[in-house]
Amino acid sequence: MTKDRHCPLVNLHASSPNAMRLNRLMRMSRRDTLMTGMAGMGVLAVGTAVAADPTTSTDPELERFMTVSARLTDRASLDPRIGHALYERILQSGPERKAQLSKLAALLESGTYENASAFAKAAEQADPVFKDVIHDIMTGWYRGVADGKVVVYRSALMFDVTKDAIYPKTYASGGPFYWTTQPPEVDKPTGAPALSPSKFDVEPT
């Protein structure tokens, strides 16, 4: 003898196609709300991480480096992110660089210099070693290279003069063996260098 099985009543209204679609949409809405909340928490976490980023923290020596860089480049402002990267890389060029950068900043703070040339001349007269320090700073900002490593390329100041017309290229724009032809003549520069002559080092390509 078989037992009667209990069969639950089926709500035909709730199981209609429209109701099923509505239930599915409501489930998706709840899921989207949950995901939005989690995304918001992620944004807050990222914001906290950015706030704790050492590049945004106040470092007195980094600020002094930026002040010296602004004077040497004769610019009102420089990118602090690039400055932080250059500063850290220049420090790795030798254990004496940090103290030399600090002394160079102290020299700038102790006097009034109308332009980069005047400050560079005074720095070399105060201590010949400052010439190498200035070379490191200028090479970093204009070429984007510090301690033999490329720190920045497209934002290097050497491209700043023509940034409104020409983008820095990563490929040769001439034809085959274009480098074998004689380059056009250019006028000899008339400006006087601020620092004494230095040995020219040909870098490997």
Side-chain angles (χ1 to χ4, degrees), residues 119-175:
F119 176 57
K121 289 179 180 178
E124 186 177 9
Q125 291 175 0
D127 189 343
V129 76
F130 283 154
K131 183 175 75 170
D132 293 334
V133 181
I134 292 174
H135 279 174
D136 284 353
I137 297 173
M138 299 298 280
T139 300
W141 283 106
Y142 278 90
R143 297 186 55 207
V145 178
D147 191 30
K149 302 293 183 181
V150 176
V151 177
V152 62
Y153 175 66
R154 292 186 65 89
S155 298
L157 295 184
M158 64 179 175
F159 298 121
D160 196 58
V161 177
T162 59
K163 67 181 181 180
D164 60 334
I166 302 175
Y167 289 99
K169 295 182 178 180
T170 57
Y171 57 89
S173 58

Side-chain angles (χ1 to χ4, degrees), residues 46-57:
V46 171
T48 303
V50 171
D53 192 336
T55 61
T56 60
S57 61

Side-chain angles (χ1 to χ4, degrees), residues 79 105 126:
D79 191 323

